[in-house]
Amino acid sequence: MTTDPVLAADAQACAAARLRGATQALNVFDRRSPDEQERACAFAMALLAAGAEAADWTLAGLPQPPPGQPGGPRRYQPEVLVPVSHHSVLLLARTAMNLHIAGTRGNQRPALWARLARFFSESLPASHPEMVRLRERALNARRETADTAPPVFDGLRWVLDYHRRQHGEGAYLTSIARTNLALAYRHRRGETDLAMVTSLAQDEVRARTARYGPHHSVTLMARSVFAQALLLQAEESSDEQERRQLARRALTEVTDIRAARDRLFGATSPDAAVSRRHEARALLLLGEAALARTSLELTLAFETAHNSGCETQTIAYTHYQLAKANRDLGDRDRARAHALAAVRIFTLHSPGSRDARLSASLLAELGCQHERGPQPARQAGAAEFVPGLPVNSPRGKPVSAPSGPAAAFRCGILDP
């Protein structure tokens, strides 16, 4: 340990640069499988333990660093430890949280992000740019669970204004904040909210297309939000002609997005899977249930393989659309199987959410009843309903089914 102030400052800068470099490298795991993200999170925590000043990271909602993790204290011993108040530590901890939440239920994530923000608020001022972005991430965790409470909207509007003031109207961070606000409107779906989503999304598509081109990944994200807005308008329209026009427009848009994502990320990527689900929604609106089912079955196979069998919330959306496609094709047994899977996974990740209610309503329409007790419902042998999809925890490790009638799904012949 050096005692010279200049050398110490230089050593700390080098140590902080190592943490920042590790953060950039670990960010590539954002789209990997939950198992890979779990290992990457353990690596990040070992680096924090070795390179940052001592801290109880469990107070921040993060797991304890594992003993003997490669890259940990035995292999990485910097001359100077980086203070917890340094932005490089916050960035690595934020990346570790991104990786950690892949193995948690959706409704647990807002509290974890809030804990991380509180943890760093003790060492960094609220006005610090990285603290603003951390609070922004905590707000978006609430938005991702369809939380449409006024504080969420107030916070997202404040963040958008902040980025406008600090970076300008056309800046990337401003663009992301505007898209997140549009997504919040999409979740709320008030009287004028869909029009607001469409307007914000169109503005983003124009701005990003002008700056990055129509097939850049950043532009594709905005185009996907716009396509979803069209689909929602079509699904809620009572006019058959308008519904079909909107659906055709959405299908044209999302098919181009999906083809671009196939080229950029591969056909099995999560981004391409999202676009295939959107294609299927448009096809269902146009009465092409057989084509929709084929696309969704491919999507389910890709998602299951990518997630190593983990039942992430995104898979529930695929099951829900497959239930609708099979219902429209007259295959009620398969429709019930997929609706049941959707209800079970939505109940696990976001009980009481709009998605859980919609899937339960579809299940009831198909002649089934779902009884839910105080604990998230699990069903032993649920893999029998959809071959090849095991009943797993979010990390992909088997979960024992809860006992007692409150934990059971009642669905006629599908009830094990």
Side-chain angles (χ1 to χ4, degrees), residues 72-96:
R74 293 182 180 178
R75 299 208 182 169
Y76 175 48
Q77 295 179 335
E79 293 183 39
V80 176
L81 296 177
V82 183
V84 174
S85 60
H86 197 279
H87 71 276
S88 64
V89 176
L90 185 154
L91 292 173
L92 182 54
R94 189 174 70 192
T95 295

Side-chain angles (χ1 to χ4, degrees), residues 249-375:
R249 186 180 176 191
L251 181 61
T252 300
E253 181 74 7
V254 79
T255 297
D256 187 61
I257 295 168
R258 191 264 308 153
R261 284 175 164 174
D262 282 350
R263 291 193 301 270
L264 286 171
F265 310 121
T268 62
S269 70
D271 294 297
V274 168
S275 295
R276 280 191 175 80
R277 274 199 302 273
H278 294 167
E279 279 185 298
R281 285 172 64 185
L283 289 167
L284 284 172
L285 287 165
L286 293 169
E288 299 287 352
L291 289 175
R293 181 169 70 178
T294 300
S295 178
L296 289 165
E297 286 174 344
L298 185 65
T299 301
L300 182 61
F302 285 161
E303 287 180 310
T304 304
H306 178 271
N307 293 319
S308 304
C310 300
E311 290 188 323
T312 61
Q313 185 161 324
T314 56
I315 286 180
Y317 294 111
T318 307
H319 280 298
Y320 177 71
Q321 296 298 330
L322 270 167
K324 293 173 68 174
N326 281 289
R327 176 202 61 189
D328 292 352
L329 290 168
D331 192 341
R332 295 181 71 83
D333 285 346
R334 293 184 68 177
R336 281 193 290 266
H338 286 291
L340 187 61
V343 171
R344 175 168 48 77
I345 299 169
F346 279 133
T347 301
L348 174 68
H349 285 277
S350 53
S353 67
R354 184 177 186 274
D355 295 319
R357 293 194 302 272
L358 284 174
S359 54
S361 176
L362 178 58
L363 190 61
E365 176 193 330
L366 293 165
C368 305
Q369 291 183 346
H370 164 231
E371 298 177 7
R372 182 166 61 86
Q375 298 297 322

Side-chain angles (χ1 to χ4, degrees), residues 108 128 298 374:
Q108 295 174 327
H128 192 287
L298 185 65

